[in-house]
């Protein structure tokens, strides 16, 4: 079969174990309910709509990836869920409670390194725990548990500048999880890492997610990353931002690098590519201005 013929498998028929997993997921409680969400800037007349009509339900312990072109409102969307930004319409319910401001039920990990540089690794993780009123002894014990979980127990006394990028993000994950959030919100957390470290971090994150009762909402622009990590992938479009499709990932778990060339993985990626890069309409090319080359024979195909 050629790649062009690949279609997203109807896993309900072809992959019964995947279908069974999605049935189990759909039976879990809905943890995040987003209904007709809208964000815009400016007043009537000069209103700039970032996105509108965004509705979705996420079940407990689902791993959701969000992809879409730059500027379609992915970060704005999750900032609203995090309570860092206000919406212009619609509702966000977390555990059936209206989201109106940040709270410990939501943990955040961003692309940029956000650790406190003047605190050690352990103190960075302890910070939120002590803020929430835990004693020094309890906070220290819990911080050590979380650092163990991300494989950094040996590095607890180092300062952030002594860590590699991947290690910093592991501390950031430990710090976010230490507050026992219901949902972990991650905005391109591995985008600044080199390709090999990024792959290791993805595998780490899946291991951690298996052990912790947490739902993950993860923005990425890397289609492989989304296909490797997600249960479902929210594809957003732009002008204005909107939900294009919410795709169930047919790649079976547990995931491994070997699956990157499996028919399910390739067909999912092909579908994502189609949605992210719709074909250029015929005639569009002719509309582009021709910029004359000065050297004859420099034609490209
Ligand atoms: N404070 C703001 N005022 C006006 N426009 C904004 C503001 N914040 C974000 N935007 C606009 O919202 C759009 C979506 O931004 P963002 O959520 O960062 O997109 P993404 O994360 O998908 O790249 C962008 O076009 C940006 O210009
Ligand atoms: Mg963004």
């Amino acid at each position: 079969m050629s790649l062009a013929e690949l279609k997203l498998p109807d896993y309900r028929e072809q992959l019964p174990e995947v279908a069974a997993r999605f049935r189990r997921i759909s039976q879990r409680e809905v943890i995040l309910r987003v209904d007709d969400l809208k964000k815009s800037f400016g007043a009537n007349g000069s209103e700039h709509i970032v996105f509108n009509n965004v509705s979705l339900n996420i079940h407990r312990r689902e791993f959701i990836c969000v992809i879409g072109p730059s500027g379609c409102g992915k970060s704005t969307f999750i900032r609203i869920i995090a309570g860092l930004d206000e919406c212009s319409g619609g509702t966000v319910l977390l555990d059936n409670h209206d989201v109106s401001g940040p709270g410990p039920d939501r943990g955040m990990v961003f692309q940029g390194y956000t650790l406190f540089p003047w605190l050690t690794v352990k103190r960075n993780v302890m910070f939120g725990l002590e803020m929430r009123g835990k004693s020094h002894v309890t906070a220290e014990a819990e911080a050590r548990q979380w650092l163990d979980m991300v494989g950094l127990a040996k590095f607890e006394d180092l300062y952030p500048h002594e860590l590699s990028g991947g290690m910093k993000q592991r501390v950031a994950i430990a710090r976010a999880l230490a507050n026992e959030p219901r949902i972990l919100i991650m905005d391109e957390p591995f985008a600044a890492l080199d390709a090999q470290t990024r792959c290791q971090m993805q595998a780490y994150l899946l291991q951690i997610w298996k052990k912790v009762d947490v739902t993950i909402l993860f923005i990425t622009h890397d289609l492989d990353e989304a296909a490797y990590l997600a249960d479902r992938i929210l594809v957003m479009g732009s002008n204005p931002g909107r939900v294009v499709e919410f795709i169930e990932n047919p790649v079976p778990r547990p995931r491994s690098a070997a699956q990157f060339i499996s028919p399910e993985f390739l067909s999912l990626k092909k579908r994502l590519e189609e949605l992210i890069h719709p074909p250029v309409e015929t005639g569009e090319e002719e509309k582009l201005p021709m910029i004359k080359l000065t050297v004859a024979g420099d034609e490209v195909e």
Side-chain angles (χ1 to χ4, degrees):
M1 184 168 55
S2 76
L3 204 55
E5 288 170 309
L6 268 178
K7 289 225 163 47
L8 202 57
D10 180 2
Y11 64 82
R12 284 183 181 85
E13 284 179 11
Q14 296 173 30
L15 302 162
E17 73 282 6
V18 176
R21 184 162 58 82
F22 276 117
R23 261 197 309 280
R24 289 195 296 277
I25 289 175
S26 68
Q27 283 160 5
R28 291 189 216 136
E29 78 213 67
V30 172
I31 188 166
L32 184 73
R33 208 178 279 278
V34 177
D35 194 31
D36 205 15
L37 198 67
K38 173 178 173 180
K39 177 69 181 179
S40 60
F41 294 101
N44 285 343
S46 64
E47 189 189 28
H48 168 68
I49 297 177
V50 178
F51 58 76
N52 59 15
N53 304 121
V54 174
S55 297
L56 53 106
N57 287 340
I58 298 177
H59 296 268
R60 189 168 69 83
R61 290 200 77 195
E62 258 194 297
F63 199 130
I64 304 294
C65 282
V66 184
I67 61 169
S70 197
C72 73
K74 303 179 297 295
S75 295
T76 308
F77 172 61
I78 61 163
R79 283 177 60 81
I80 292 171
I81 293 168
L84 299 172
D85 218 336
E86 279 184 11
C87 66
S88 316
T91 50
V92 177
L93 296 179
L94 182 64
D95 278 328
N96 296 318
H97 295 296
D98 234 329
V99 163
S100 58
D105 50 0
R106 282 146 293 153
M108 300 285 293
V109 179
F110 299 98
Q111 175 182 340
Y113 307 125
T114 53
L115 300 177
F116 300 128
W118 61 91
L119 294 179
T120 62
V121 162
K122 183 179 71 187
R123 289 283 184 167
N124 261 284
V125 181
M126 287 170 65
F127 185 83
L129 298 169
E130 290 185 317
M131 286 283 284
R132 283 168 52 220
K134 300 210 175 188
S135 72
H136 181 87
V137 174
T138 309
E140 187 171 46
E142 289 186 14
R144 286 199 166 119
Q145 264 180 8
W146 287 106
L147 286 171
D148 208 16
M149 170 78 80
V150 297
L152 290 179
K154 280 190 299 195
F155 303 95
E156 63 173 45
D157 292 324
L158 296 191
Y159 285 86
H161 75 269
E162 298 174 281
L163 305 177
S164 69
M167 289 160 90
K168 281 182 204 168
Q169 287 306 64
R170 272 148 68 189
V171 179
I173 293 169
R175 185 178 63 173
L177 290 176
N179 293 316
E180 295 175 52
R182 295 283 282 160
I183 185 160
L184 181 62
I185 299 171
M186 309 180 84
D187 193 350
E188 308 210 25
F190 307 149
L193 304 175
D194 64 86
Q196 201 177 340
T197 307
R198 192 161 66 222
C199 291
Q200 286 169 353
M201 291 297 293
Q202 292 160 359
Y204 253 120
L205 185 61
L206 285 183
Q207 277 176 23
I208 293 165
W209 172 64
K210 262 174 88 169
K211 294 184 199 154
V212 183
D213 177 6
V214 72
T215 306
I216 300 184
L217 188 56
F218 185 110
I219 294 184
T220 177
H221 58 256
D222 180 338
L223 303 188
D224 283 316
E225 185 164 73
Y228 177 65
L229 293 176
D231 288 317
R232 287 191 291 161
I233 301 171
L234 183 76
V235 184
M236 290 181 70
S238 49
N239 299 319
R242 65 199 185 284
V243 174
V244 174
E245 223 168 284
F246 203 3
I247 300 179
E248 291 175 340
N249 184 345
V251 182
R253 291 193 193 273
R255 304 260 166 87
S256 71
Q259 289 170 318
F260 277 50
I261 47 168
S262 72
E264 298 89 46
F265 197 97
L266 291 175
S267 56
L268 171 65
K269 254 193 84 177
K270 177 165 172 275
R271 181 73 189 129
L272 297 175
E273 291 281 4
E274 285 165 0
L275 293 171
I276 296 283
H277 301 128
V280 179
E281 280 178 34
T282 39
E284 284 293 305
E285 205 182 331
E286 276 69 47
K287 286 190 213 151
L288 295 175
M290 186 70 183
I291 298 169
K292 290 263 183 259
L293 298 169
T294 50
V295 184
D298 254 2
E299 299 280 309
V300 289
E301 287 172 27

